[in-house]
Amino acid sequence: MDPKQTTSSSTGGGFFASIASSLSNFGSVVSKSVNGPTGIELEGLEVVNPEGGTEDAEEEAKKGRWKEEERDSYWKMMQKYVGSDITSMVTLPVIIFEPMTMIQKMAELMEYSYLLDMADETDDPYMRLVYASSFFISVYYAYQRTWKPFNPILGETYEMANHGGMSFIAEQVSHHPPMSAGHAENEHFTYDVTSKLKTKFLGNSVDVYPVGRTRVTLKRDGVTLDLVPPPTKVSNLIFGRTWIDSPGEMVLTNLTTGDKVVLYFQPCGWFGAGRYEVDGYVYNAAEEPKILITGKWNESLSYQVCDPEGEPLPGTELKEVWKVAEIPKKDKFQYTYFAHKLNSFDTAPKKLLASDSRLRPDRLALEKGDLSVSGNEKSSLEERQRAEKRNREAKNQKFIPRWFDLTEEVTPTPWGELEVYQYNGKYTEHRTAIDSSDCIEEPDSRPEFNPWQFDNLVAE
């Protein structure tokens, strides 16, 4: 492998060049023209088979989650949004949702948090980046799910406990634009993220650009790691089998030492070639390759010490650093065992906040399989959110997040500038007070879902 193929700056031209190259060769296109259910030809609409099969476009299109009569109406409804950012689109039907919110997905990243513990414990500065980058690769297995999470209500939270000795809190800090902030901490690390997605709807697919900032601080040596992930493409939203790919580069930089990891996600090519594959190097501050990393983000990652040319050193061998945990068979939403725990009260701390995602009535109804109730509850929550906004505006007041503060820092990303939210420490104080109390919580005493900061939320 040529190390020059994966060397780039997190904001430099090489980053964009690799994305452009990936997207220009993206996927195995069955056809660029599809006949709709009513026989209308939909020009320019691509139906992609991620396994690279040779079925014609109409046969491939029938394998989607939509019924034929539904696909035609959804295509007519959605095509007017082509080229736009779908974070502000019309309300979507719950049939495409999974029983989880976006801030729960943030917590799902923590499944393999032991890798950050190992990064903190090692004395080798390059192995530190092997462990940390493997942690950030591990989440992509969960992110290949094609169901859409619920958008959090403004002020909604998610708490997680009983995992790796860690405390986790996330909060929806902005509604327009949608933004979330999260903080995780144990004896080895702190993890802080401000998440803001920028999307572009392309008809039968969506490009997703992660306009966010993720920082990990390892406590033993105090080093800070900064992540720039690749963009993501969701193909076959309406026609064909929906699937996800993330072609491009992931850059993880040690801001303290200048060392970094650059990993290249191969785009899915013809007949599925390259799908899931990720390769790259750990570089020192002088941009000399030190360790080769290779594997598949849906299976495992391995590493091997290399020479200055990026070739494996004689006498060394590939060693596995991470492997996907055992997963349930034929799970309806392709959930892992850990994903199921995120909806369980087993991972909840004592006296759960009333704003927690687990308590959402639309999420609970979908989890039980009642789409009708879920849709009605979702609409009700969205209208209450609009009512609270009207209430705030009438009082000339602004929403103020409870656990995170908006800083004056605006950080650049490859896809735009980002306002940064910072954890304010109040949740730690709150949780310490609760955990030290003598209160006994009964399962049937859990509160109703309530993220609202203002009263008088009756719909007009």
Side-chain angles (χ1 to χ4, degrees), residues 59-327:
E59 287 301 311
E60 183 65 19
K62 292 176 182 177
K63 296 177 181 178
R65 63 166 60 104
W66 303 103
K67 297 178 182 178
E68 288 192 19
E69 61 271 19
E70 293 174 335
R71 283 200 303 267
D72 191 31
S73 62
Y74 278 116
W75 169 248
K76 290 179 179 178
M77 178 186 75
M78 300 287 276
Q79 61 183 330
K80 64 182 177 181
Y81 294 101
V82 171
S84 66
D85 187 332
I86 62 169
T87 57
S88 59
M89 276 175 50
V90 295
T91 299
L92 298 172
V94 294
I95 191 173
I96 69 171
F97 282 73
E98 62 176 327
M100 185 182 290
T101 68
M102 283 297 297
I103 52 178
Q104 286 180 279
K105 293 278 279 192
M106 292 170 65
E108 193 171 359
L109 178 62
M110 295 293 131
E111 176 169 5
Y112 301 95
S113 61
Y114 70 85
L115 290 165
L116 291 182
D117 296 345
M118 296 173 70
D120 183 56
E121 292 171 342
T122 184
D123 293 320
D124 187 323
Y126 307 123
M127 283 304 301
R128 173 184 291 149
L129 288 175
V130 170
Y131 293 129
S133 59
S134 298
F135 165 77
F136 285 110
I137 290 292
S138 69
V139 72
Y140 281 87
Y141 180 83
Y143 278 14
Q144 71 178 316
R145 297 199 303 265
T146 59
W147 304 95
K148 183 190 182 305
F150 285 95
N151 290 335
I153 298 296
L154 185 63
E156 184 174 335
T157 59
Y158 181 77
E159 302 176 80
M160 182 172 66
N162 307 321
H163 176 69
M166 180 180 62
S167 173
F168 178 94
I169 179 69
E171 182 177 12
Q172 188 72 359
V173 295
S174 172
H175 181 56
H176 286 302
M179 293 181 68
S180 309
H183 174 82
E185 186 169 0
N186 68 5
E187 62 179 330
H188 291 289
F189 67 86
T190 59
Y191 165 92
D192 291 281
V193 58
T194 299
S195 176
K196 176 183 176 182
L197 295 181
K198 180 179 180 181
T199 64
K200 188 174 183 180
F201 179 57
L202 302 174
N204 199 36
S205 64
V206 170
D207 287 344
V208 182
Y209 306 98
V211 187
R213 192 183 79 168
T214 301
R215 294 275 173 88
V216 170
T217 299
L218 302 178
K219 290 187 173 181
R220 191 181 71 159
D221 294 334
V223 300
T224 299
L225 309 178
D226 178 79
L227 177 73
V228 177
T232 293
K233 190 179 187 76
V234 185
S235 296
N236 295 352
L237 288 172
I238 300 173
F239 292 86
R241 291 173 292 182
T242 305
W243 64 289
I244 296 174
D245 202 13
S246 297
E249 287 180 348
M250 170 188 286
V251 181
L252 180 66
T253 304
N254 185 328
L255 298 179
T256 307
T257 66
D259 303 332
K260 66 180 177 181
V261 182
V262 183
L263 296 175
Y264 181 69
F265 287 64
Q266 297 286 344
C268 181
W270 291 102
F271 302 105
R275 192 179 184 200
Y276 309 118
E277 293 180 7
V278 57
D279 302 281
Y281 292 98
V282 175
Y283 296 91
N284 64 15
E287 298 198 356
E288 299 168 331
K290 290 294 183 179
I291 299 179
L292 164 71
I293 301 177
T294 186
K296 292 187 175 182
W297 52 258
N298 70 328
E299 293 180 4
S300 65
L301 283 178
S302 298
Y303 69 94
Q304 189 170 7
V305 179
C306 63
D307 63 22
E309 299 301 319
E311 297 299 325
L313 285 178
T316 64
E317 59 183 21
L318 278 173
K319 296 181 179 179
E320 188 175 82
V321 64
W322 164 78
K323 183 178 182 179
V324 169
E326 183 182 356
I327 59 174

Side-chain angles (χ1 to χ4, degrees), residues 159 167-169 349 353 403 423 425-431:
E159 302 176 80
S167 173
F168 178 94
I169 179 69
L353 292 170
W403 312 114
Y423 176 63
K426 293 179 181 178
Y427 177 77
T428 301
E429 298 172 3
H430 163 81
R431 185 48 53 201

Side-chain angles (χ1 to χ4, degrees), residues 341-403:
K341 288 182 180 180
L342 295 177
N343 279 336
S344 168
F345 290 95
D346 292 341
T347 56
K350 184 166 61 173
K351 287 192 69 66
L352 189 67
L353 292 170
S355 50
D356 194 272
S357 297
R358 294 178 186 83
L359 303 171
R360 282 183 62 142
D362 53 354
R363 191 208 64 75
L364 286 165
L366 182 60
E367 190 175 26
K368 295 175 182 178
D370 195 329
L371 271 66
S372 177
V373 171
S374 179
N376 290 335
E377 293 287 2
K378 178 174 176 289
S379 296
S380 175
L381 288 176
E382 290 168 348
E383 178 50 39
R384 292 183 70 187
Q385 181 166 236
R386 288 188 286 268
E388 187 189 43
K389 180 181 178 181
R390 291 191 295 268
N391 194 326
R392 285 198 311 274
E393 291 176 346
K395 297 178 180 179
N396 197 28
Q397 293 177 311
K398 292 184 178 180
F399 171 82
I400 300 175
R402 185 175 180 184
W403 312 114

